[in-house]
Amino acid sequence: MPVRYSRDMRGYGPNPPHPQWPGNAKVAVQFVLNYEEGGENCVLHGDAASEAFLSDIPGAAQWEGQRHWNMESIYEYGARAGFWRLHRLFTGAGIPLTIYGVATALARSPEQVAAMKSAGWEIASHGLKWVEHKDMAEVDERACIAEAIRLHTEVVGEPPRGWYTGRCSANTVRLVAEQGGFDYISDTYDDDLPYWAEIGSHDQLIIPYTLEANDMRFATAPGWVTGDDFGRYLIDAFDTLYAEGEAGRPAMMTVGLHCRLVGRPGKIAGLKRFIEHLQSHPDVWCPRRIEIAEHWAATHPPMRFERPSQMSQARFVELYGGIFEHSPWIAERAFEQELGPAHDSAAGVHNALSRAFRRATEAERLDVLKAHPDLAGKLASAGKLTTESTSEQAGAGLDLLTDEERAIFTQLNTDYVTKHGFPFIIAVRDHDKASILAAFHRRIGNERETEFAEACRQVERIAEFRLSDLLP
Protein backbone atom coordinates (compact mmCIF):
# COMPACT_ATOMS: atom_id res chain seq x y z
CA MET A 1 0.00 0.00 0.00
CA PRO A 2 1.44 3.40 -0.91
CA VAL A 3 1.96 6.06 1.74
CA ARG A 4 -1.34 7.62 2.82
CA TYR A 5 -1.60 11.09 4.39
CA SER A 6 -3.77 10.95 7.50
CA ARG A 7 -4.42 14.65 8.08
CA ASP A 8 -7.73 15.99 6.74
CA MET A 9 -7.10 19.26 4.89
CA ARG A 10 -10.53 19.27 3.21
CA GLY A 11 -13.17 19.01 5.89
CA TYR A 12 -16.54 20.01 4.49
CA GLY A 13 -14.94 21.68 1.47
CA PRO A 14 -16.61 24.69 -0.16
CA ASN A 15 -20.15 23.65 0.81
CA PRO A 16 -20.50 22.95 4.55
CA PRO A 17 -23.86 21.64 5.75
CA HIS A 18 -26.44 24.06 7.09
CA PRO A 19 -26.49 23.33 10.83
CA GLN A 20 -30.20 24.09 11.21
CA TRP A 21 -29.66 25.40 14.71
CA PRO A 22 -32.79 25.44 16.91
CA GLY A 23 -34.97 28.47 16.35
CA ASN A 24 -33.16 29.12 13.06
CA ALA A 25 -30.35 30.74 15.04
CA LYS A 26 -27.82 32.63 12.96
CA VAL A 27 -24.97 31.52 15.22
CA ALA A 28 -24.47 29.12 18.12
CA VAL A 29 -22.29 30.66 20.85
CA GLN A 30 -21.02 28.13 23.35
CA PHE A 31 -19.05 28.93 26.52
CA VAL A 32 -16.60 26.49 28.09
CA LEU A 33 -15.18 26.97 31.58
CA ASN A 34 -12.08 24.88 32.17
CA TYR A 35 -11.88 23.71 35.78
CA GLU A 36 -8.25 22.69 36.31
CA GLU A 37 -7.46 24.10 39.74
CA GLY A 38 -6.27 21.27 41.96
CA GLY A 39 -5.45 19.02 39.04
CA GLU A 40 -2.31 20.80 37.84
CA ASN A 41 1.30 19.66 38.22
CA CYS A 42 2.23 19.78 41.89
CA VAL A 43 4.52 17.62 44.04
CA LEU A 44 1.60 17.27 46.47
CA HIS A 45 -0.20 15.44 43.64
CA GLY A 46 2.70 13.06 43.11
CA ASP A 47 4.14 14.99 40.18
CA ALA A 48 7.85 15.48 39.62
CA ALA A 49 7.68 19.28 39.39
CA SER A 50 5.47 22.31 39.83
CA GLU A 51 3.11 23.74 37.18
CA ALA A 52 4.35 26.27 34.60
CA PHE A 53 1.40 26.62 32.24
CA LEU A 54 -1.30 29.31 31.94
CA SER A 55 -0.76 31.61 34.86
CA ASP A 56 -0.01 35.29 35.46
CA ILE A 57 3.68 34.51 36.15
CA PRO A 58 5.62 35.60 33.03
CA GLY A 59 8.10 33.01 31.80
CA ALA A 60 7.22 30.51 34.51
CA ALA A 61 9.31 27.36 34.61
CA GLN A 62 8.74 24.06 36.38
CA TRP A 63 10.55 23.62 39.67
CA GLU A 64 11.79 20.05 39.81
CA GLY A 65 10.94 18.38 43.09
CA GLN A 66 9.69 21.61 44.68
CA ARG A 67 6.41 23.30 45.38
CA HIS A 68 5.97 26.64 43.62
CA TRP A 69 4.02 28.56 46.22
CA ASN A 70 3.16 31.48 43.95
CA MET A 71 1.94 29.20 41.17
CA GLU A 72 -0.15 27.16 43.56
CA SER A 73 -1.79 30.27 45.01
CA ILE A 74 -2.66 31.58 41.53
CA TYR A 75 -4.43 28.32 40.76
CA GLU A 76 -6.11 28.50 44.16
CA TYR A 77 -7.46 31.95 43.28
CA GLY A 78 -9.31 30.37 40.37
CA ALA A 79 -11.08 27.92 42.68
CA ARG A 80 -11.62 30.26 45.63
CA ALA A 81 -12.66 33.50 43.87
CA GLY A 82 -12.59 33.32 40.07
CA PHE A 83 -15.03 30.42 39.81
CA TRP A 84 -17.64 32.17 41.93
CA ARG A 85 -17.34 35.43 40.04
CA LEU A 86 -17.95 33.53 36.78
CA HIS A 87 -20.76 31.54 38.38
CA ARG A 88 -22.55 34.78 39.30
CA LEU A 89 -22.00 36.21 35.82
CA PHE A 90 -23.37 33.28 33.85
CA THR A 91 -26.24 32.32 36.14
CA GLY A 92 -27.24 36.00 36.17
CA ALA A 93 -27.13 36.12 32.37
CA GLY A 94 -29.09 32.88 32.06
CA ILE A 95 -26.38 31.27 29.91
CA PRO A 96 -25.48 27.64 30.69
CA LEU A 97 -21.87 26.52 30.62
CA THR A 98 -20.02 23.40 29.70
CA ILE A 99 -17.37 22.64 32.30
CA TYR A 100 -14.23 20.89 31.15
CA GLY A 101 -13.50 19.34 34.53
CA VAL A 102 -10.18 17.72 35.38
CA ALA A 103 -11.28 14.74 37.46
CA THR A 104 -8.78 15.23 40.28
CA ALA A 105 -9.59 18.95 40.38
CA LEU A 106 -13.32 18.23 40.66
CA ALA A 107 -12.62 15.75 43.45
CA ARG A 108 -10.90 18.53 45.43
CA SER A 109 -13.73 21.06 44.89
CA PRO A 110 -17.04 19.63 46.17
CA GLU A 111 -18.77 23.01 46.64
CA GLN A 112 -17.94 24.11 43.12
CA VAL A 113 -19.19 20.79 41.72
CA ALA A 114 -22.45 21.22 43.64
CA ALA A 115 -22.82 24.74 42.20
CA MET A 116 -22.18 23.48 38.67
CA LYS A 117 -24.85 20.82 39.04
CA SER A 118 -27.34 23.20 40.68
CA ALA A 119 -26.93 25.62 37.76
CA GLY A 120 -27.66 22.84 35.26
CA TRP A 121 -24.22 23.10 33.70
CA GLU A 122 -22.75 20.20 31.74
CA ILE A 123 -19.67 18.70 33.35
CA ALA A 124 -17.53 17.12 30.62
CA SER A 125 -14.20 15.41 31.25
CA HIS A 126 -10.93 17.29 31.00
CA GLY A 127 -8.87 14.21 31.76
CA LEU A 128 -7.52 12.80 34.97
CA LYS A 129 -4.84 15.42 35.64
CA TRP A 130 -3.96 18.77 34.02
CA VAL A 131 -0.59 17.56 32.71
CA GLU A 132 1.09 16.98 29.35
CA HIS A 133 0.19 13.77 27.55
CA LYS A 134 2.48 14.05 24.51
CA ASP A 135 5.10 11.65 25.88
CA MET A 136 2.71 9.15 27.47
CA ALA A 137 2.81 5.58 26.27
CA GLU A 138 -0.52 4.47 24.82
CA VAL A 139 -1.06 1.98 27.61
CA ASP A 140 -0.56 4.71 30.22
CA GLU A 141 -2.82 7.21 28.48
CA ARG A 142 -5.51 4.59 28.05
CA ALA A 143 -5.32 3.84 31.77
CA CYS A 144 -5.55 7.57 32.60
CA ILE A 145 -8.66 7.91 30.44
CA ALA A 146 -10.33 4.99 32.19
CA GLU A 147 -9.43 6.34 35.63
CA ALA A 148 -10.65 9.83 34.69
CA ILE A 149 -14.04 8.38 33.76
CA ARG A 150 -14.22 6.32 36.96
CA LEU A 151 -13.29 9.23 39.24
CA HIS A 152 -15.50 11.72 37.38
CA THR A 153 -18.47 9.39 37.74
CA GLU A 154 -17.78 8.94 41.43
CA VAL A 155 -17.43 12.68 42.10
CA VAL A 156 -20.17 14.05 39.83
CA GLY A 157 -22.64 11.19 40.13
CA GLU A 158 -22.78 10.36 36.43
CA PRO A 159 -20.20 9.65 33.69
CA PRO A 160 -19.06 12.43 31.37
CA ARG A 161 -20.64 12.57 27.92
CA GLY A 162 -18.01 14.91 26.44
CA TRP A 163 -14.21 14.80 26.47
CA TYR A 164 -11.39 17.31 26.09
CA THR A 165 -7.86 16.52 27.26
CA GLY A 166 -6.31 19.78 26.04
CA ARG A 167 -2.66 18.93 26.65
CA CYS A 168 -3.17 15.89 24.45
CA SER A 169 -1.09 13.41 22.51
CA ALA A 170 -1.41 12.34 18.90
CA ASN A 171 -3.23 9.25 20.22
CA THR A 172 -5.79 10.97 22.44
CA VAL A 173 -8.78 11.26 20.09
CA ARG A 174 -8.42 7.66 18.93
CA LEU A 175 -8.00 6.31 22.46
CA VAL A 176 -11.00 8.23 23.80
CA ALA A 177 -13.14 7.10 20.84
CA GLU A 178 -12.03 3.51 21.42
CA GLN A 179 -12.96 3.85 25.10
CA GLY A 180 -16.48 4.60 23.89
CA GLY A 181 -19.48 6.20 25.52
CA PHE A 182 -18.79 9.80 24.52
CA ASP A 183 -21.32 11.91 22.64
CA TYR A 184 -18.46 14.13 21.49
CA ILE A 185 -14.72 14.72 21.69
CA SER A 186 -13.24 18.22 21.43
CA ASP A 187 -9.49 17.73 21.09
CA THR A 188 -9.35 19.50 17.72
CA TYR A 189 -9.41 23.13 16.57
CA ASP A 190 -10.05 22.53 12.88
CA ASP A 191 -13.55 23.72 12.00
CA ASP A 192 -16.44 26.09 12.72
CA LEU A 193 -18.90 23.18 12.78
CA PRO A 194 -19.07 19.72 14.36
CA TYR A 195 -18.19 16.75 12.16
CA TRP A 196 -18.03 12.97 12.27
CA ALA A 197 -14.68 11.17 12.40
CA GLU A 198 -14.44 7.57 11.26
CA ILE A 199 -12.29 5.82 13.86
CA GLY A 200 -12.21 2.16 12.96
CA SER A 201 -15.81 0.98 12.85
CA HIS A 202 -16.92 3.79 15.17
CA ASP A 203 -18.38 7.11 14.02
CA GLN A 204 -17.25 9.68 16.58
CA LEU A 205 -18.70 13.17 16.73
CA ILE A 206 -16.06 15.88 17.00
CA ILE A 207 -17.00 19.34 18.29
CA PRO A 208 -13.91 21.49 17.71
CA TYR A 209 -12.66 23.72 20.52
CA THR A 210 -10.80 27.04 20.35
CA LEU A 211 -7.44 28.42 21.43
CA GLU A 212 -8.03 31.87 19.92
CA ALA A 213 -11.38 33.00 21.36
CA ASN A 214 -9.86 31.90 24.63
CA ASP A 215 -8.77 33.76 27.75
CA MET A 216 -5.58 31.65 27.82
CA ARG A 217 -4.08 34.44 25.75
CA PHE A 218 -3.95 36.55 28.91
CA ALA A 219 -1.10 34.19 29.82
CA THR A 220 0.64 33.87 26.44
CA ALA A 221 2.38 36.12 23.94
CA PRO A 222 0.97 37.55 21.77
CA GLY A 223 -2.09 37.83 23.91
CA TRP A 224 -4.65 39.97 25.69
CA VAL A 225 -3.42 42.78 27.94
CA THR A 226 -6.74 44.23 29.08
CA GLY A 227 -10.21 42.79 29.42
CA ASP A 228 -11.25 45.02 26.55
CA ASP A 229 -8.71 43.30 24.26
CA PHE A 230 -10.46 40.00 24.91
CA GLY A 231 -13.96 41.45 24.72
CA ARG A 232 -13.25 43.29 21.48
CA TYR A 233 -11.91 40.15 19.84
CA LEU A 234 -14.98 38.16 20.91
CA ILE A 235 -17.31 40.87 19.60
CA ASP A 236 -15.51 40.99 16.25
CA ALA A 237 -15.65 37.19 15.93
CA PHE A 238 -19.33 37.15 16.84
CA ASP A 239 -20.21 39.95 14.41
CA THR A 240 -18.45 38.14 11.56
CA LEU A 241 -20.20 34.85 12.28
CA TYR A 242 -23.56 36.55 12.80
CA ALA A 243 -23.25 38.24 9.40
CA GLU A 244 -22.35 34.90 7.81
CA GLY A 245 -25.40 33.40 9.48
CA GLU A 246 -27.60 36.15 8.05
CA ALA A 247 -26.15 35.27 4.63
CA GLY A 248 -27.26 31.66 5.06
CA ARG A 249 -24.08 30.05 6.45
CA PRO A 250 -24.61 29.69 10.23
CA ALA A 251 -21.71 28.35 12.23
CA MET A 252 -20.55 27.82 15.81
CA MET A 253 -18.49 30.07 18.07
CA THR A 254 -16.78 28.63 21.12
CA VAL A 255 -15.41 30.81 23.93
CA GLY A 256 -12.82 29.21 26.21
CA LEU A 257 -12.48 30.43 29.80
CA HIS A 258 -10.39 29.66 32.91
CA CYS A 259 -11.31 30.49 36.49
CA ARG A 260 -7.84 31.83 37.40
CA LEU A 261 -7.58 34.00 34.27
CA VAL A 262 -10.81 35.70 33.21
CA GLY A 263 -12.07 35.27 36.78
CA ARG A 264 -9.95 38.29 37.74
CA PRO A 265 -11.89 41.60 38.05
CA GLY A 266 -10.03 43.49 35.34
CA LYS A 267 -10.29 40.69 32.82
CA ILE A 268 -13.92 39.72 33.31
CA ALA A 269 -15.13 43.21 32.36
CA GLY A 270 -14.46 42.53 28.66
CA LEU A 271 -16.32 39.21 28.88
CA LYS A 272 -19.32 41.00 30.43
CA ARG A 273 -19.41 43.47 27.53
CA PHE A 274 -19.34 40.61 25.06
CA ILE A 275 -22.26 38.87 26.74
CA GLU A 276 -24.25 42.11 26.68
CA HIS A 277 -23.42 42.46 22.98
CA LEU A 278 -24.54 38.99 21.97
CA GLN A 279 -27.70 39.23 24.07
CA SER A 280 -28.63 42.39 22.20
CA HIS A 281 -28.97 40.32 19.01
CA PRO A 282 -31.93 38.10 18.09
CA ASP A 283 -31.59 34.54 16.81
CA VAL A 284 -28.56 33.53 18.87
CA TRP A 285 -28.41 30.09 20.48
CA CYS A 286 -26.27 29.68 23.64
CA PRO A 287 -26.30 25.93 24.38
CA ARG A 288 -24.17 23.59 26.39
CA ARG A 289 -21.86 21.47 24.31
CA ILE A 290 -23.89 18.34 24.92
CA GLU A 291 -26.90 20.04 23.33
CA ILE A 292 -24.85 20.79 20.23
CA ALA A 293 -23.89 17.11 20.13
CA GLU A 294 -27.48 15.96 20.49
CA HIS A 295 -28.67 18.38 17.82
CA TRP A 296 -25.95 17.41 15.36
CA ALA A 297 -26.50 13.69 15.84
CA ALA A 298 -30.22 14.12 15.19
CA THR A 299 -29.91 16.59 12.29
CA HIS A 300 -26.71 15.40 10.61
CA PRO A 301 -26.17 11.71 11.48
CA PRO A 302 -22.99 10.05 10.21
CA MET A 303 -23.02 8.92 6.59
CA ARG A 304 -20.18 6.76 5.40
CA PHE A 305 -19.16 6.39 1.78
CA GLU A 306 -16.45 4.50 -0.06
CA ARG A 307 -13.35 6.65 0.30
CA PRO A 308 -10.79 6.67 -2.55
CA SER A 309 -7.88 7.14 -0.15
CA GLN A 310 -8.81 3.89 1.62
CA MET A 311 -9.42 1.73 -1.45
CA SER A 312 -7.31 -1.13 -2.73
CA GLN A 313 -5.61 -0.48 -6.05
CA ALA A 314 -7.95 -2.90 -7.81
CA ARG A 315 -11.02 -1.07 -6.53
CA PHE A 316 -9.55 2.37 -7.27
CA VAL A 317 -8.80 1.39 -10.87
CA GLU A 318 -12.17 -0.32 -11.24
CA LEU A 319 -13.98 2.90 -10.32
CA TYR A 320 -11.70 5.52 -11.87
CA GLY A 321 -9.79 3.68 -14.60
CA GLY A 322 -12.25 4.88 -17.25
CA ILE A 323 -12.34 8.53 -16.23
CA PHE A 324 -9.59 9.22 -18.77
CA GLU A 325 -10.93 7.48 -21.87
CA HIS A 326 -9.64 3.88 -22.18
CA SER A 327 -6.55 4.75 -20.07
CA PRO A 328 -6.61 2.80 -16.77
CA TRP A 329 -2.86 3.30 -16.36
CA ILE A 330 -3.58 6.87 -15.24
CA ALA A 331 -5.61 5.60 -12.28
CA GLU A 332 -2.89 3.04 -11.51
CA ARG A 333 -0.26 5.78 -11.29
CA ALA A 334 -2.55 8.13 -9.38
CA PHE A 335 -3.09 5.43 -6.76
CA GLU A 336 0.63 5.42 -6.01
CA GLN A 337 0.56 9.06 -4.89
CA GLU A 338 0.26 10.26 -1.28
CA LEU A 339 -3.54 10.21 -1.13
CA GLY A 340 -5.46 11.27 1.96
CA PRO A 341 -8.84 12.56 3.14
CA ALA A 342 -8.48 15.58 0.85
CA HIS A 343 -8.70 13.18 -2.09
CA ASP A 344 -12.01 11.68 -0.97
CA SER A 345 -13.90 14.05 -3.23
CA ALA A 346 -14.38 14.72 -6.92
CA ALA A 347 -11.83 17.53 -6.81
CA GLY A 348 -9.36 15.35 -4.91
CA VAL A 349 -9.46 12.37 -7.28
CA HIS A 350 -9.43 14.71 -10.24
CA ASN A 351 -6.25 16.32 -8.98
CA ALA A 352 -4.60 12.94 -8.44
CA LEU A 353 -5.56 11.65 -11.90
CA SER A 354 -4.57 14.90 -13.60
CA ARG A 355 -1.17 14.88 -11.90
CA ALA A 356 -0.55 11.37 -13.24
CA PHE A 357 -1.65 12.49 -16.70
CA ARG A 358 0.57 15.60 -16.63
CA ARG A 359 3.60 13.57 -15.54
CA ALA A 360 3.19 11.20 -18.46
CA THR A 361 5.35 11.46 -21.54
CA GLU A 362 4.05 13.30 -24.58
CA ALA A 363 3.66 9.98 -26.38
CA GLU A 364 1.56 8.59 -23.52
CA ARG A 365 -0.65 11.68 -23.44
CA LEU A 366 -1.03 11.45 -27.21
CA ASP A 367 -2.31 7.89 -26.76
CA VAL A 368 -4.93 9.25 -24.34
CA LEU A 369 -6.03 11.83 -26.91
CA LYS A 370 -6.25 9.18 -29.61
CA ALA A 371 -8.39 7.01 -27.31
CA HIS A 372 -11.17 9.61 -27.52
CA PRO A 373 -13.83 9.09 -30.20
CA ASP A 374 -14.67 11.56 -32.96
CA LEU A 375 -17.56 13.82 -32.08
CA ALA A 376 -20.72 12.44 -33.69
CA GLY A 377 -18.50 10.04 -35.63
CA LYS A 378 -18.74 6.42 -36.73
CA LEU A 379 -18.48 4.94 -33.26
CA ALA A 380 -21.40 7.04 -32.11
CA SER A 381 -23.46 5.95 -35.09
CA ALA A 382 -22.61 2.32 -34.40
CA GLY A 383 -23.42 2.66 -30.67
CA LYS A 384 -19.89 1.71 -29.63
CA LEU A 385 -18.99 4.68 -27.44
CA THR A 386 -18.28 4.28 -23.74
CA THR A 387 -21.29 4.89 -21.52
CA GLU A 388 -19.80 8.21 -20.42
CA SER A 389 -19.11 9.43 -23.96
CA THR A 390 -22.58 8.38 -25.11
CA SER A 391 -24.22 10.37 -22.33
CA GLU A 392 -22.00 13.40 -22.87
CA GLN A 393 -22.56 13.61 -26.61
CA ALA A 394 -26.30 13.08 -26.17
CA GLY A 395 -26.40 15.86 -23.59
CA ALA A 396 -25.11 18.30 -26.19
CA GLY A 397 -27.59 17.10 -28.79
CA LEU A 398 -24.96 15.35 -30.93
CA ASP A 399 -27.14 12.23 -31.14
CA LEU A 400 -29.85 14.17 -32.97
CA LEU A 401 -27.95 15.70 -35.88
CA THR A 402 -29.51 16.35 -39.26
CA ASP A 403 -27.86 14.74 -42.27
CA GLU A 404 -26.33 18.09 -43.13
CA GLU A 405 -24.94 18.60 -39.64
CA ARG A 406 -23.53 15.08 -39.56
CA ALA A 407 -21.76 15.71 -42.86
CA ILE A 408 -20.21 18.90 -41.47
CA PHE A 409 -18.96 17.11 -38.33
CA THR A 410 -17.57 14.24 -40.42
CA GLN A 411 -15.60 16.63 -42.64
CA LEU A 412 -14.32 18.66 -39.68
CA ASN A 413 -13.25 15.48 -37.88
CA THR A 414 -11.34 14.30 -40.94
CA ASP A 415 -9.62 17.65 -41.49
CA TYR A 416 -8.73 18.02 -37.81
CA VAL A 417 -7.19 14.54 -37.47
CA THR A 418 -5.26 15.01 -40.73
CA LYS A 419 -3.74 18.24 -39.43
CA HIS A 420 -3.11 17.41 -35.75
CA GLY A 421 -2.90 13.62 -35.56
CA PHE A 422 -5.58 13.16 -32.87
CA PRO A 423 -9.36 13.67 -32.63
CA PHE A 424 -10.97 16.99 -31.79
CA ILE A 425 -11.67 16.88 -28.03
CA ILE A 426 -13.97 19.23 -26.16
CA ALA A 427 -15.83 19.00 -22.86
CA VAL A 428 -19.28 18.97 -24.40
CA ARG A 429 -21.00 19.61 -21.04
CA ASP A 430 -19.65 23.16 -21.24
CA HIS A 431 -21.32 23.69 -24.64
CA ASP A 432 -24.28 23.25 -26.90
CA LYS A 433 -24.21 22.10 -30.52
CA ALA A 434 -23.65 25.62 -31.89
CA SER A 435 -20.75 26.50 -29.60
CA ILE A 436 -19.11 23.13 -30.26
CA LEU A 437 -19.16 23.84 -33.98
CA ALA A 438 -17.80 27.34 -33.38
CA ALA A 439 -14.93 25.93 -31.30
CA PHE A 440 -14.26 23.30 -33.96
CA HIS A 441 -13.89 25.98 -36.68
CA ARG A 442 -11.77 28.16 -34.40
CA ARG A 443 -9.38 25.51 -33.11
CA ILE A 444 -8.77 23.59 -36.32
CA GLY A 445 -6.47 26.38 -37.47
CA ASN A 446 -4.24 26.29 -34.35
CA GLU A 447 -0.64 25.16 -34.41
CA ARG A 448 -0.29 21.53 -33.35
CA GLU A 449 1.57 22.41 -30.11
CA THR A 450 -1.16 24.84 -29.12
CA GLU A 451 -3.89 22.39 -29.97
CA PHE A 452 -2.16 19.51 -28.18
CA ALA A 453 -2.11 21.56 -24.98
CA GLU A 454 -5.74 22.57 -25.43
CA ALA A 455 -6.83 18.99 -26.08
CA CYS A 456 -5.08 17.89 -22.86
CA ARG A 457 -6.92 20.61 -20.93
CA GLN A 458 -10.20 19.43 -22.40
CA VAL A 459 -9.44 15.83 -21.41
CA GLU A 460 -8.94 16.98 -17.82
CA ARG A 461 -12.18 18.98 -17.94
CA ILE A 462 -14.09 15.92 -19.19
CA ALA A 463 -12.58 13.94 -16.28
CA GLU A 464 -13.74 16.63 -13.86
CA PHE A 465 -17.33 16.27 -15.03
CA ARG A 466 -17.23 12.49 -14.89
CA LEU A 467 -15.93 12.48 -11.32
CA SER A 468 -18.58 14.95 -10.20
CA ASP A 469 -21.14 12.27 -11.06
CA LEU A 470 -19.45 9.81 -8.70
CA LEU A 471 -18.12 11.69 -5.67
CA PRO A 472 -18.94 14.58 -3.35
Side-chain angles (χ1 to χ4, degrees), residues 159-472:
R161 296 173 62 186
W163 182 279
Y164 174 72
T165 297
R167 299 164 79 170
C168 63
S169 76
N171 303 313
T172 298
V173 171
R174 174 176 56 81
L175 293 176
V176 175
E178 289 174 356
Q179 176 71 36
F182 287 98
D183 290 65
Y184 69 90
I185 298 172
S186 287
D187 277 293
T188 70
Y189 312 92
D190 52 3
D191 215 300
D192 295 318
L193 290 173
Y195 62 89
W196 294 96
E198 297 176 3
I199 301 176
S201 61
H202 179 58
D203 292 306
Q204 178 63 59
L205 183 64
I206 306 295
I207 304 181
Y209 187 47
T210 178
L211 296 182
E212 45 88 36
N214 192 312
D215 70 351
M216 67 176 288
R217 291 179 62 183
F218 280 115
T220 62
W224 321 123
V225 176
T226 69
D228 197 49
D229 294 335
F230 184 41
R232 183 71 257 170
Y233 185 88
L234 296 181
I235 289 170
D236 287 346
F238 171 83
D239 287 350
T240 297
L241 291 172
Y242 193 85
E244 291 178 358
E246 288 185 312
R249 297 175 70 92
M252 176 184 72
M253 176 180 179
T254 299
V255 181
L257 307 171
H258 298 77
C259 301
R260 64 192 175 278
L261 295 176
V262 81
R264 295 281 182 175
K267 296 171 182 173
I268 203 170
L271 178 61
K272 288 180 178 179
R273 286 189 283 274
F274 170 63
I275 291 174
E276 291 168 358
H277 181 75
L278 77 86
Q279 290 190 324
S280 71
H281 289 70
D283 304 323
V284 178
W285 185 38
C286 291
R288 302 173 304 168
R289 241 160 153 71
I290 189 61
E291 288 154 354
I292 291 177
E294 290 170 344
H295 172 79
W296 203 265
T299 310
H300 299 286
M303 297 180 63
R304 292 200 172 203
F305 67 94
E306 196 172 12
R307 297 182 178 275
S309 67
Q310 298 174 9
M311 291 176 182
S312 67
Q313 184 182 47
R315 181 60 174 160
F316 189 88
V317 175
E318 177 187 356
L319 290 181
Y320 309 121
I323 297 298
F324 280 68
E325 197 88 0
H326 297 298
S327 303
W329 60 267
I330 293 177
E332 292 170 359
R333 295 183 188 180
F335 181 83
E336 299 300 321
Q337 297 174 32
E338 183 192 69
L339 303 182
H343 296 92
D344 294 334
S345 66
V349 175
H350 182 258
N351 181 266
L353 294 175
S354 295
R355 287 176 59 192
F357 177 59
R358 294 166 194 165
R359 283 199 311 270
T361 65
E362 182 173 333
E364 288 173 324
R365 283 179 287 147
L366 178 60
D367 286 341
V368 174
L369 302 187
K370 289 180 176 180
H372 279 258
D374 291 336
L375 286 182
K378 295 178 181 179
L379 290 178
S381 299
K384 294 183 178 181
L385 296 180
T386 63
T387 302
E388 294 84 359
S389 290
T390 298
S391 175
E392 289 157 359
Q393 294 202 22
L398 300 185
D399 60 335
L400 299 172
L401 298 178
T402 65
D403 290 341
E404 181 181 357
E405 288 171 334
R406 187 171 290 105
I408 292 171
F409 268 99
T410 299
Q411 188 59 53
L412 286 170
N413 281 325
T414 300
D415 293 345
Y416 185 95
V417 172
T418 299
K419 179 171 183 179
H420 297 297
F422 50 84
F424 175 77
I425 300 171
I426 192 168
V428 296
R429 290 202 216 179
D430 283 326
H431 298 273
D432 57 21
K433 185 166 55 178
S435 65
I436 291 171
L437 275 172
F440 222 147
H441 285 292
R442 183 181 68 255
R443 285 172 48 188
I444 199 168
N446 285 341
E447 295 295 326
R448 185 184 184 282
E449 182 179 355
T450 300
E451 193 55 21
F452 183 87
E454 180 60 30
C456 288
R457 283 191 290 270
Q458 293 298 319
V459 164
E460 292 184 17
R461 179 63 172 161
I462 292 167
E464 184 177 359
F465 279 122
R466 292 177 176 179
L467 288 165
S468 69
D469 295 335
L470 302 176
L471 284 162

Side-chain angles (χ1 to χ4, degrees), residues 86-165:
L86 288 160
H87 183 271
R88 291 190 294 271
L89 173 63
F90 281 98
T91 55
I95 296 176
L97 295 183
T98 288
I99 300 291
Y100 283 164
V102 174
T104 50
L106 296 174
R108 295 179 174 118
S109 299
E111 286 186 298
Q112 290 90 335
V113 170
M116 297 169 192
K117 295 175 68 176
S118 179
W121 295 351
E122 175 198 4
I123 308 178
S125 182
H126 200 7
L128 180 63
K129 299 174 70 173
W130 179 233
V131 297
E132 291 288 358
H133 290 66
K134 64 182 179 65
D135 297 320
M136 277 191 188
E138 281 195 35
V139 63
D140 295 330
E141 187 172 3
R142 187 177 287 108
C144 284
I145 292 167
E147 176 60 14
I149 297 169
R150 186 204 67 77
L151 182 58
H152 183 110
T153 304
E154 179 181 289
V155 170
V156 177
E158 59 185 9
R161 296 173 62 186
W163 182 279
Y164 174 72
T165 297

